[in-house]
Amino acid sequence: MTRHPTLAVLAADLEAGRTTARKLVEDCLARIDDPAGEGARAFIHVDRDAALQAADAMDRLRAANAAPSPFAGIPVSIKDLFDIKGQVTRAGSRALDDNPPADADAPTVARLRRAGFVVIGRSNMTEFAYSGIGINPHYGTPKAAYRRDVGHVPGGSSSGAAVSVADGMAHAGLGTDTGGSCRIPAAFNGIVGYKASQARVPRDGAVPLSFSLDSIGPLARSVACCAALDAILADQPVVPLSPRSLKGMRIAVPSTVALDELDAVVKAAFDRALTTLSGHGVIVEQIEVPEFNDVAPLSAKGGLTAAESYAWHRYLVVAQGDVYDPRVRERILRGETQSAADYIDIVTARKSLIERATARLAPYDAVAMPTTANAAPTIAELADDKAFTKANLLALRNCTLINMIDGCAISLPCHRDGEAPVGLMLAGVNGADRDLFEVAAGVEAVIRG
């Protein structure tokens, strides 16, 4: 897979005059337009004219020493879940086609624009963000970056975001993460995906899936890229990232749930990463996390996601249910069977879960597990509903553990070149975002060899 530049490299090239915002945008548009590529499936809408105008504006500002940030002029993709002023937010669906255009940018989009990033287009996604696989019957399914001749799923729900970054159609992507929707596609495409602590980044202006679990984060090419984007999204200063020393770092590996049913390729890459870290002085401790056993029972009737998505969709799904992806519609309608008492029980149990898990995991510098239990399956083999359901649950399982305990997490590629992409997930407790980036930067420097 082609190694595209990081945000830091692009910023340095812009500053030194080795490239321009106009050229970056034109190069991304050329990749989107390539008939042999995935642009037609990775994007639902391309902001061609507006992107070129914004790029020219950033070049003029930089020439006048007035660029709003070092990243001014770098093209990014925006998941179709977010409002962009003057555009209809479809959330990867046809059911919202008749909605009016947004009156304003979502706060996250506005913050990226304020830093000078150029919106290249709206990236494709699982309809209404309700799957970790990335298949979309309405707009097509972009193939993951690995073995395009075979055709592997891109991961969801931020499928187009990941493919746009992996293919150089954008240099970062804005995504959401309810149960892994930034981290899973990052893992399946060999890039980095970040799930912030939920309250860190405003969720206004984004179509919700589960307001209890939704979070917003970036997909990019390095830990430093994601750290810079996260700071911008959180309206904080972008400061240099200092990789944490590996010697004496304590990383917990949960033996509860997270290591069950791993694909052989996932287990091999994960074990190799842990061996590498141990060789660099990291103290790797396998521990029981009994709290993780509580997560699956809380989702027995669809959990928070089904209940809260049904509350949002209950009128739309009656009026336009025949337009929905049947697999998505089925999961949403599970929320109809939950009673108010069921929902209150889940909310109460989750509060206890967060408190207990946080106390257990807080002493460690990070928690490590495979991002997904499975490597990306092929698109063809998931035509069968049973195969799809099993693959979806395996993809979501480990990531969901962190959303349910209200933590933060990052997925780093840990496979060797030529192998199927595998993600190493590092996670922290709520609010530990900056510490986690420092830990991840230290780990990133050694796990790919």
Side-chain angles (χ1 to χ4, degrees):
M1 188 171 71
T2 303
R3 292 286 174 88
H4 296 289
T6 63
L7 296 183
V9 169
L10 292 167
D13 286 348
L14 286 164
E15 174 65 21
R18 290 187 291 269
T19 192
T20 63
R22 176 87 186 196
K23 185 175 189 311
L24 294 181
V25 168
E26 287 178 341
D27 287 349
C28 287
L29 290 173
R31 292 190 178 99
I32 292 170
D33 292 339
D34 181 358
E38 293 298 308
R41 289 165 291 281
F43 284 89
I44 287 175
H45 172 73
V46 179
D47 268 350
R48 189 176 312 275
D49 293 341
L52 290 168
Q53 291 170 13
D56 290 342
M58 291 305 136
D59 284 334
R60 289 193 295 271
L61 286 170
R62 183 168 275 107
N65 295 317
S69 87
F71 309 115
I74 296 177
V76 296
S77 63
I78 305 295
K79 188 176 182 177
D80 193 43
L81 214 62
F82 292 93
D83 284 348
I84 296 175
K85 185 177 180 180
Q87 297 181 15
V88 176
T89 304
R90 291 180 170 84
S93 179
R94 294 289 187 186
L96 301 181
D97 280 351
D98 294 334
N99 274 17
D103 292 330
D105 287 341
T108 44
V109 175
R111 289 174 181 181
L112 290 171
R113 287 199 204 269
R114 192 172 66 197
F117 285 100
V118 174
V119 173
I120 198 86
R122 306 183 72 94
S123 59
N124 198 358
M125 55 179 285
T126 304
E127 184 180 38
F128 293 117
Y130 214 157
S131 138
I133 294 297
I135 289 174
N136 187 305
H138 310 298
Y139 299 99
T141 300
K143 297 176 184 176
Y146 174 69
R147 290 295 306 273
R148 287 262 162 81
D149 58 319
V150 176
H152 292 264
V153 298
S157 60
S158 308
S159 54
V163 173
S164 74
V165 174
D167 281 21
M169 295 183 281
H171 294 292
L174 178 63
T176 62
D177 192 307
T178 305
S181 287
C182 284
R183 291 161 288 162
I184 297 166
F188 285 179
N189 285 277
I191 62 172
V192 182
Y194 189 66
K195 176 247 179 293
S197 297
Q198 191 195 37
R200 184 171 173 81
V201 179
R203 288 164 286 138
D204 311 273
V207 175
L209 175 57
S210 166
F211 56 80
S212 293
L213 301 174
D214 293 344
S215 60
I216 291 174
L219 296 91
R221 301 191 182 115
S222 71
V223 173
C225 292
C226 283
L229 289 160
D230 170 76
I232 291 166
L233 295 171
D235 202 21
Q236 297 182 356
V238 178
V239 297
L241 187 62
S242 300
R244 189 79 56 89
S245 172
L246 297 180
K247 190 170 179 59
M249 181 187 292
R250 293 180 69 209
I251 290 183
V253 176
S255 58
T256 312
V257 178
L259 302 182
D260 296 347
E261 297 184 76
L262 302 184
D263 282 2
V265 65
V266 172
K267 185 178 188 307
F270 181 67
D271 289 348
R272 185 173 63 234
L274 295 184
T275 299
T276 299
L277 293 175
S278 295
H280 282 82
V282 175
I283 301 167
V284 177
E285 300 179 33
Q286 189 165 118
I287 65 169
E288 291 286 337
V289 185
E291 292 78 16
F292 286 171
N293 283 321
D294 297 346
V295 172
L298 291 179
S299 299
K301 295 182 179 180
L304 293 170
T305 307
E308 293 173 357
S309 65
Y310 178 71
W312 193 90
H313 285 269
R314 64 189 184 276
Y315 303 119
L316 185 66
V317 77
V318 169
Q320 301 209 56
D322 59 333
V323 180
Y324 281 58
D325 176 350
R327 289 167 170 169
V328 170
R329 183 180 64 234
E330 179 184 2
R331 287 194 289 281
I332 290 170
L333 289 175
R334 293 186 73 192
E336 188 177 18
T337 66
Q338 288 190 37
S339 67
D342 291 332
Y343 179 74
I344 291 168
D345 284 346
I346 297 171
V347 171
T348 303
R350 185 186 179 225
K351 185 174 184 293
S352 169
L353 171 67
I354 292 169
E355 292 171 353
R356 289 179 286 119
T358 298
R360 188 178 303 279
L361 301 176
Y364 295 91
D365 291 293
V367 179
M369 62 186 87
T371 305
T372 62
N374 49 350
T378 65
I379 296 170
E381 67 188 284
L382 299 191
D384 175 76
D385 283 347
K386 287 184 68 173
F388 175 90
T389 298
K390 181 177 180 180
N392 188 44
L393 291 173
L394 285 172
L396 289 164
R397 186 194 68 200
N398 286 3
C399 288
T400 298
L401 298 175
I402 305 305
N403 293 75
M404 284 295 289
I405 66 169
D406 200 20
C408 52
I410 192 165
S411 178
L412 312 176
C414 66
H415 57 285
R416 290 174 174 157
D417 287 343
E419 294 179 343
V422 174
L424 169 68
M425 179 164 59
L426 299 172
V429 297
N430 183 268
D433 299 77
R434 189 66 193 178
D435 289 337
L436 182 62
F437 278 126
E438 293 177 355
V439 169
V443 170
E444 179 186 45
V446 301
I447 60 170
R448 293 297 298 276

